[in-house]
Amino acid sequence: MAEQIYTIPVNDAFDSGCECPMCQMQKDLERNAIEYTMGPSYMEDDNRAMTDKLGFCSHHLRMLYQEKNRLGLALMMNTHMNKTIQDMRALAAKGPAAKAGLFGKNTPNAPVVDYIENMEKSCFICGRMDDMFVRYVDTIFHMWKRDSEFRDKFATSKGFCTYHYGILYKTGQNKLSKEQYAQFIEILNKVYFDNMERVNGDLSWFIDKFDYRYKNEPWKNSKDALPRGIIKIGHTFVE
């Protein structure tokens, strides 16, 4: 199947040789979202309205701080804090929620507490990543159904982390026919378990190399087993 714009990120991730192509997609999406947020877009009214409303999670706020555009970050933080202060003042003025009676349900949260809890769950960058990642997952199944070369690439990949294995396992049931899904699960299980065993074997040899009895033995493929294992079980990269 001829490569299309929407298939390029998926093919690139599967061509990367990563222990989980879907983790690679998320890493690329995160970098793109950071660059978008700190680029000229931060001056656009629509984007500023969204960052004012959603804010950033602590992880992405640290990443934004590491970028060079400190003025852009300060402007976004300033207008976000202005909105937060205004909203919180109005909600705090309403006071705590009425306490439930003796036999009533649990006391509901005060409006200000609900606001804070919702704000802690929102992040402009996470939202951009999540929206695009759903499209990438759809593209995987679109390519699976139509592109035999991609199916071969999938089957010879280094597998997936446990989290993304679960996403593929669950999503495929709604995206593929019964026959297609049976074939997909057979291949998905093989690449997942074979490659989990491979990396776990490398970790075992990495551990053995700290035993004096194996001091003079070669490292084989175990020198980078720890960061590769972290991808497999933690669906994240370590620098």
Side-chain angles (χ1 to χ4, degrees):
M1 185 174 77
E3 193 167 47
Q4 305 293 327
I5 291 177
Y6 60 87
T7 66
I8 291 173
V10 174
N11 273 321
D12 286 349
F14 275 86
D15 289 337
S16 70
C18 174
E19 293 291 349
C20 177
M22 296 177 76
C23 284
Q24 184 65 52
M25 292 177 206
Q26 286 193 314
K27 182 180 181 183
D28 293 341
L29 283 171
E30 183 174 58
R31 173 41 48 191
N32 292 340
I34 291 288
E35 292 175 355
Y36 174 84
T37 303
M38 298 309 296
S41 67
Y42 76 87
M43 293 300 293
E44 297 176 7
D45 291 341
D46 289 348
N47 284 325
R48 286 289 286 280
M50 290 299 293
T51 57
D52 288 351
K53 177 182 178 181
L54 299 174
F56 303 99
C57 66
S58 57
H59 168 68
H60 287 131
L61 199 55
R62 285 193 296 270
M63 289 188 70
L64 291 171
Y65 182 72
Q66 292 169 359
E67 298 296 303
K68 296 179 180 180
N69 191 351
R70 297 293 173 85
L71 174 59
L73 180 57
L75 287 168
M76 283 186 286
M77 289 179 59
N78 180 242
T79 54
H80 173 63
M81 291 180 74
N82 286 340
K83 184 180 186 306
T84 300
I85 292 168
Q86 181 181 0
D87 291 348
M88 293 275 285
R89 281 191 184 280
L91 293 169
K94 296 180 179 181
K99 189 173 182 179
L102 181 62
F103 300 104
K105 296 180 180 180
N106 294 334
T107 301
N109 286 335
V112 69
V113 173
D114 280 336
Y115 181 90
I116 293 169
E117 290 182 351
N118 289 330
M119 187 166 59
E120 285 295 307
K121 298 174 185 175
S122 69
C123 172
F124 177 74
I125 291 173
C126 287
R128 282 187 64 85
M129 290 175 58
D130 291 345
D131 289 345
M132 286 301 301
F133 188 71
V134 169
R135 298 180 191 179
Y136 285 0
V137 174
D138 286 344
T139 301
I140 288 173
F141 290 105
H142 172 81
M143 294 170 70
W144 177 271
K145 289 185 286 188
R146 293 169 171 79
D147 188 347
S148 60
E149 290 183 11
F150 176 75
R151 289 194 295 272
D152 291 341
K153 188 181 297 187
F154 187 104
T156 57
S157 71
K158 291 184 177 179
F160 304 91
C161 70
T162 300
Y163 175 72
H164 288 132
Y165 163 78
I167 286 180
L168 290 170
Y169 201 108
K170 179 179 179 179
T171 308
Q173 196 164 17
N174 296 321
K175 298 292 182 180
L176 302 173
S177 69
K178 184 177 180 180
E179 182 179 346
Q180 290 171 333
Y181 184 60
Q183 180 193 31
F184 176 78
I185 289 300
E186 181 180 358
I187 294 175
L188 175 64
N189 283 338
K190 179 172 175 52
V191 296
Y192 171 73
F193 288 108
D194 284 358
N195 286 287
M196 285 289 283
E197 292 284 359
R198 173 180 55 80
V199 174
N200 196 36
D202 290 343
L203 280 169
S204 295
W205 186 246
F206 179 85
I207 294 167
D208 286 344
K209 278 293 293 176
F210 286 84
D211 187 324
Y212 74 94
R213 293 174 297 176
Y214 299 97
K215 179 180 179 181
N216 295 321
E217 296 293 329
W219 281 90
K220 302 179 183 178
N221 294 322
S222 69
K223 283 190 175 182
D224 63 345
L226 202 53
R228 289 188 290 113
I230 288 172
I231 293 175
K232 289 295 191 190
I233 66 172
H235 62 96
T236 189
F237 289 80
V238 289
E239 300 298 333

